[in-house]
Amino acid sequence: LLKIYSLKLNMRNKTILVLYFLSLLGVFFSGITIYDHYSSGPSEVCITGSGCDAANNSKYSEFMGIPVGFFGILWFILFSLSIKFSEPEISIILLLGGITVISYFVFVELYILRVICSTCTFIHAIVYLQALIVFRPFMSGTLKRNNRN
């Protein structure tokens, strides 16, 4: 299964470029969250206003004293490297971990902080979109097999 994924991904240069571009956007938006985290004033880039400030100044904005935006940047770099070096196992592990962490942050925003950080939402959407792109061959293959029976 992973060999098929690797071959399909290697044959689709446009798909790889889209994944790289999304990772670059993810690094950019993660950098904005870091800037907002250390900024003393209100967020200058948040679409929804105070939602970003509340999220970036909450106890959930850091992990072990490090702003989570740094971990976001690291994640996007590692994911891009796993694609570049055709390491599908690592890509899948990173995506599953990324989806889990992003889902946790969505829960925190909606049900604990009761705010929506637009910058964070862009990051969440990027990770979900990357997962859909990578897992699409698996999902479409499964659906086709199930329809035959």
Side-chain angles (χ1 to χ4, degrees):
L1 188 62
L2 291 174
K3 287 180 184 179
I4 293 169
Y5 159 76
S6 181
L7 289 174
K8 284 184 179 180
L9 202 55
N10 285 334
M11 287 190 256
R12 294 186 177 154
N13 290 333
K14 290 180 184 176
T15 302
I16 292 172
L17 289 175
V18 168
L19 291 171
Y20 287 151
F21 178 72
L22 289 171
S23 287
L24 188 61
L25 283 176
V27 168
F28 174 74
F29 285 114
S30 295
I32 289 173
T33 65
I34 294 168
Y35 175 80
D36 283 346
H37 182 79
Y38 289 117
S39 177
S40 59
S43 175
E44 297 172 14
V45 293
C46 187
I47 294 170
T48 57
S50 64
C52 294
D53 295 329
N56 279 316
N57 294 319
S58 75
K59 67 179 182 179
Y60 301 100
S61 67
E62 292 184 350
F63 180 71
M64 298 186 323
I66 302 169
V68 294
F70 284 113
F71 295 103
I73 290 172
L74 178 63
W75 186 91
F76 286 112
I77 290 170
L78 290 175
F79 179 71
S80 294
L81 289 173
S82 73
I83 297 295
K84 177 178 175 39
F85 294 111
S86 297
E87 295 292 340
E89 297 92 351
I90 295 173
S91 300
I92 290 169
I93 290 169
L94 284 168
L95 282 170
L96 293 174
I99 290 168
T100 303
V101 170
I102 293 302
S103 297
Y104 166 76
F105 282 124
V106 169
F107 174 82
V108 167
E109 282 184 54
L110 294 177
Y111 297 105
I112 297 175
L113 299 176
R114 298 191 186 278
V115 299
I116 295 178
C117 168
S118 59
T119 309
C120 303
T121 301
F122 288 130
I123 297 167
H124 304 161
I126 290 167
V127 174
Y128 287 134
L129 185 57
Q130 286 178 317
L132 285 174
I133 291 168
V134 170
F135 293 134
R136 184 173 164 228
F138 297 123
M139 293 184 289
S140 63
T142 302
L143 291 174
K144 287 178 187 172
R145 272 186 262 125
N146 287 341
N147 287 338
R148 285 188 211 152
N149 295 332

